[in-house]
Amino acid sequence: NAEYMGALHGYTMEKRKRDEVVGVTGGVYVPPHKRNQSAASDKTGAEYQRQTWDALRKSLNGLINKINTANIKNIIPELFSENLIRGRGLLARGLMKAQMASPNFTHVYAALVAVINTKLPDVGDLVLRRIILQFRRAFKRNDKIVCMAATKFIAHLVNQKVASELLALQLATLLLEKPTDDSVEVAAEFIRDVGEVLTDITPKGVHFVFERFRAILHEGEIEKRVQYVIEALFAIRKTGFKEFPGVLPELDLVEQDDQVTHELDLADSHMVGDENLNIFQFDPQFEEHEQEWAAIKQEILGDDEGGSESGSSDSSSDSDSDSDEEAEGEQQGQPNQNGAVAIRDYTEQDTINLRKTIYLAIMSSLEFEECAHKLLKLNIREGQEIEVCTMLIECCAQERAFQRFYGLLAERFCRLRHIYQILFKDCFQKNYMTIHRLETNKLRNVAKFFAHLLYSDSMSWDCLEPIKLSEEDTTSSSRIFIKIVFQELSEQMGLQKLNERLHDETLQTAFAGLFPRDNPKNTRFAINFFTSIGLGGLTDELREFLKNAPKQIMAQKVEVESSSESSSDSDSSSDSDSSSSNSDSDSSSSESGSESESESESESEKRRKRRR
């Protein structure tokens, strides 16, 4: 009886305490918001602390779940605004659960732990201890999935310098000490993730680990699949782990001087995970601890100083932006004659809506006449006709096979308004220049679409002017495009009519690139191209030109040589004239010399006679 009375008294006292905290409703339901209001009135009570604890847990889990590489720099300030000292157990548990659920984001969570570790090393130490304990439990239970997740987390923490490289070497040694298929596979994935950093820090340790892998491979006691894993690891090592970098540039958020590395032993038997931090505990000094955290948060984030500075800078920037907007408003928002201000939309929302409307009209029509009627009722403004052409081409390209619906619809628009002929011509030239971006099926549909416009004379044939059929000016995609266009034209028009159209004198400048005559090499390439696609009949004149090209070249050479000979003859005649004049002068001088000599001889004879 005494024991029973003692137990009853203890139960009564516990119930009174619980009633003091929760409140006695007397069987009446109290809505949660009223309970929260009553608890909020007493900030020193346990109920208020429990509510703040639940709010902290939800906030931390929400921030952890939405973190990624792109927004990590924005999430970190929000995370530091929460009480991480009080909720460090919740933070560690949330990180480990999130990493277990999505191992592909392990490098992001490790970067987050590295940033928190620089300001609050106890939090980083707690996370690392819990991950080590999780690995040890999973290793004893032979739980491969948990082991791989834990080792991946440890590897990225080593990469971020939160854990030391000794922990990584201990882990690899433990996994390879008594090798099994699972342990070797886990060790290979671990070394793959941490190999780049370990190679820089401890190359000898990495060499030892790979020697152990080589010995296991030579023993041949593991499965073929695991042997292939080890061989792949050696191949990755040869490339210097380029495919598996230790830290991505966008996640390298901690300076080397600010890093805090924890030296923990994998085999420490006294290691504890402080699991009691995961549950709510009443804090008699709750307000004091909250004030202490407010001071720490101010030191980390600099709320007051940074806020005042940012406030002043924001106000100045706001004033500057307001003045800029006013200036732009004065320049761009000039009132018109009616006094209304013209507003310009630079988001192109109207264009997007117009494209959606055109697409829906095309997809909801059975016949092209119905679709043309719907599109004409849209009252498309001047300058927006190009959207109709673009959507027609894109919708046609998306089909599995070419539908004449789109060709007939484009033909109808070209016959109704001349502007569409010009726009489709521009679209042809733009698509030809970027035809290499399209897949084969889309390329075929677009080629047949434009071929329809050509053989129906809905578009001018001078759109073919940009095509230069040579080996240097074409790609494989452009040659396929030209092939499909001309095969479709030959099928619809016939080879004779197509040949007549290509020999139209008014379009010869547009077809100069299709049938080049500037170089025999290009001419021969065009002949071979059209012959290979079954349209060799279009190249008769090119063949004649190529056959007569040597004669023409020889004739040109003869003309050049004759012209050179005529010039040389004229030069020689001028030289002969000059030489003849020189000879005449020489003969005259010789004659005068001989006459003078004869006269001197006659005088000498007369003197002799006189003397006698």
Side-chain angles (χ1 to χ4, degrees):
N1 291 333
E3 293 179 358
Y4 174 76
M5 292 301 295
L8 182 61
H9 178 70
Y11 171 76
T12 304
M13 296 301 294
E14 289 181 2
K15 186 174 184 304
R16 286 179 181 177
K17 291 181 180 179
R18 187 167 62 252
D19 291 342
E20 289 177 0
V21 175
V22 180
V24 182
T25 59
V28 179
Y29 173 72
V30 179
H33 68 279
K34 288 189 176 180
R35 289 202 302 268
N36 294 338
Q37 290 177 358
S38 61
S41 60
D42 184 12
K43 294 187 178 182
T44 60
E47 185 63 22
Y48 175 76
Q49 294 186 21
R50 184 181 292 278
Q51 289 180 9
T52 56
W53 176 267
D54 293 338
L56 178 62
R57 175 177 53 80
K58 293 178 181 178
S59 177
L60 292 177
N61 290 336
L63 293 173
I64 291 170
N65 289 333
K66 70 179 182 180
I67 194 170
N68 55 44
T69 306
N71 64 3
I72 185 171
K73 293 182 180 179
N74 300 325
I75 295 294
I76 289 173
E78 297 182 19
L79 202 59
F80 275 115
S81 63
E82 304 293 340
N83 193 340
L84 297 184
I85 294 179
R86 186 187 182 205
R88 60 186 183 276
L90 298 175
L91 177 65
R93 185 176 64 178
L95 284 171
M96 294 175 65
K97 282 187 176 180
Q99 189 269 340
M100 181 68 69
S102 54
N104 292 332
F105 286 86
T106 305
H107 56 294
V108 182
Y109 300 132
L112 176 63
V113 174
V115 175
I116 297 174
N117 186 60
T118 59
K119 305 298 181 182
L120 302 170
D122 292 339
V123 178
D125 179 70
L126 177 64
V127 173
L128 186 57
R129 280 189 282 119
R130 289 192 176 183
I131 295 171
I132 293 173
L133 292 172
Q134 183 187 33
F135 167 75
R136 282 159 54 172
R137 289 193 296 268
F139 186 74
K140 289 180 180 179
R141 295 195 301 264
N142 294 325
D143 192 344
K144 179 183 175 182
I145 297 176
V146 179
C147 273
M148 294 188 77
T151 53
K152 194 177 187 68
F153 210 161
I154 293 173
H156 286 283
L157 289 177
V158 172
N159 292 338
Q160 292 284 350
K161 306 296 176 57
V162 177
S164 67
E165 67 278 4
L166 296 177
L167 179 62
L169 295 176
Q170 283 181 337
L171 185 59
T173 304
L174 176 64
L175 291 171
L176 299 176
E177 185 178 2
K178 296 179 180 179
T180 61
D181 293 337
D182 292 340
S183 66
V184 172
E185 189 174 356
V186 172
E189 185 170 349
F190 174 72
I191 294 298
R192 185 192 66 186
D193 292 332
V194 80
E196 184 182 21
V197 175
L198 283 183
T199 304
D200 295 337
I201 299 174
T202 60
K204 291 184 179 180
V206 175
H207 176 72
F208 170 77
V209 173
F210 274 94
E211 287 298 322
R212 181 57 183 155
F213 273 119
R214 184 176 284 106
I216 294 171
L217 191 61
H218 290 168
E219 290 171 2
E221 296 180 357
I222 56 177
E223 294 181 355
K224 288 288 185 183
R225 178 182 61 84
V226 185
Q227 292 180 11
Y228 291 147
V229 171
I230 297 176
E231 292 175 358
L233 181 63
F234 276 97
I236 293 171
R237 185 194 183 190
K238 277 187 178 180
T239 62
F241 300 93
K242 290 182 179 179
E243 298 180 1
F244 300 93
V247 181
L248 297 176
E250 55 269 21
L251 295 178
D252 191 6
L253 305 175
V254 180
E255 297 292 337
Q256 187 173 3
D257 296 336
D258 297 334
Q259 292 172 347
V260 179
T261 304
H262 299 283
E263 302 284 346
L264 295 181
D265 188 2
L266 184 65
D268 187 4
S269 59
H270 301 288
M271 187 181 296
V272 292
D274 294 335
E275 301 296 336
N276 59 332
L277 297 176
N278 296 341
I279 59 176
F280 168 74
Q281 294 179 357
F282 178 73
D283 186 7
Q285 300 177 347
F286 177 75
E287 293 184 357
E288 295 179 2
H289 292 162
E290 287 293 322
Q291 292 176 1
E292 291 177 358
W293 170 249
I296 296 173
K297 181 177 71 172
Q298 178 181 348
E299 182 181 355
I300 295 173
L301 299 177
D303 287 343
D304 294 340
E305 296 178 0
S308 61
E309 291 176 1
S310 62
S312 61
S313 62
D314 291 341
S315 62
S316 61
S317 62
D318 291 340
S319 62
D320 294 340
S321 62
D322 293 340
S323 61
D324 293 341
E325 291 176 357
E326 290 176 0
E328 291 177 359
E330 291 176 358
Q331 294 178 0
Q332 299 180 0
Q334 295 291 343
N336 54 19
Q337 296 178 356
N338 298 328
V341 178
I343 300 174
R344 297 182 182 180
D345 184 12
Y346 291 99
T347 61
E348 297 185 355
Q349 189 64 37
D350 294 340
T351 304
I352 296 173
N353 293 333
L354 177 62
R355 290 181 180 180
K356 289 180 180 178
T357 307
I358 295 172
Y359 176 79
L360 294 174
I362 293 172
M363 292 294 115
S364 62
S365 301
L366 294 177
E367 298 294 337
F368 74 94
E369 293 95 344
E370 177 189 357
C371 185
H373 181 68
K374 288 181 180 178
L375 294 177
L376 290 173
K377 286 177 63 178
L378 294 178
N379 295 324
I380 298 173
R381 297 195 302 270
E382 184 179 356
Q384 291 183 333
E385 295 89 351
I386 187 63
E387 302 300 334
V388 178
C389 303
T390 304
M391 290 305 300
L392 277 176
I393 296 171
E394 290 182 359
C395 292
C396 178
Q398 294 296 331
E399 297 290 342
R400 292 185 178 179
F402 174 69
Q403 303 290 333
R404 291 187 70 246
F405 169 87
Y406 298 101
L408 294 171
L409 183 59
E411 179 185 351
R412 176 61 60 89
F413 275 100
C414 289
R415 296 188 185 280
L416 287 175
R417 297 180 185 176
H418 179 68
I419 183 65
Y420 285 104
Q421 298 182 17
I422 301 173
L423 293 175
F424 276 115
K425 175 184 173 182
D426 296 338
C427 289
F428 176 87
Q429 296 178 354
K430 291 178 181 177
N431 278 272
Y432 177 74
M433 300 304 295
T434 59
I435 200 67
H436 57 278
R437 301 178 185 175
L438 297 181
E439 300 173 358
T440 306
N441 187 54
K442 293 182 179 180
L443 188 149
R444 182 181 295 108
N445 291 343
V446 172
K448 291 186 176 182
F449 176 84
F450 285 115
H452 180 97
L453 294 181
L454 286 173
Y455 73 71
S456 62
D457 288 331
S458 303
M459 183 174 63
S460 176
W461 284 63
D462 58 1
C463 65
L464 301 174
E465 186 173 359
I467 300 178
K468 300 192 184 309
L469 197 55
S470 64
E471 188 175 359
E472 293 79 10
D473 297 326
T474 57
T475 61
S476 59
S477 300
S478 61
R479 288 193 286 270
I480 294 172
F481 178 79
I482 298 170
K483 167 190 168 183
I484 297 173
V485 168
F486 276 90
Q487 285 180 342
E488 186 72 12
L489 290 173
S490 175
E491 182 180 350
Q492 299 296 331
M493 299 176 63
L495 187 61
Q496 183 178 358
K497 288 185 178 180
L498 177 60
N499 202 2
E500 292 175 357
R501 177 59 60 88
L502 293 175
H503 289 86
D504 190 348
E505 295 181 357
T506 60
L507 297 173
Q508 290 308 305
T509 57
F511 300 149
L514 279 171
F515 304 99
R517 302 186 181 187
D518 55 345
N519 190 347
K521 178 183 176 183
N522 297 338
T523 305
R524 196 175 294 108
F525 180 83
I527 292 172
N528 294 336
F529 173 78
F530 281 108
T531 304
S532 64
I533 65 175
L535 299 177
L538 301 177
T539 61
D540 293 338
E541 288 191 0
L542 276 184
R543 294 174 188 273
E544 290 294 329
F545 171 78
L546 191 61
K547 185 187 294 184
N548 298 328
K551 297 179 181 179
Q552 295 177 0
I553 294 172
M554 291 300 295
Q556 292 176 359
K557 287 184 178 180
V558 170
E559 291 179 359
V560 171
E561 290 176 356
S562 62
S563 61
S564 62
E565 287 178 358
S566 62
S567 61
S568 63
D569 291 342
S570 60
D571 295 338
S572 61
S573 62
S574 61
D575 293 340
S576 63
D577 293 339
S578 61
S579 62
S580 62
S581 61
N582 293 332
S583 62
D584 293 340
S585 61
D586 293 340
S587 62
S588 60
S589 61
S590 62
E591 289 176 356
S592 60
S594 60
E595 289 177 355
S596 60
E597 289 177 355
S598 62
E599 289 178 356
S600 61
E601 289 178 355
S602 61
E603 289 178 356
S604 61
E605 287 179 356
K606 288 179 179 181
R607 289 175 182 175
R608 288 174 184 174
K609 288 178 179 181
R610 288 176 184 176
R611 289 177 181 176
R612 290 176 182 176

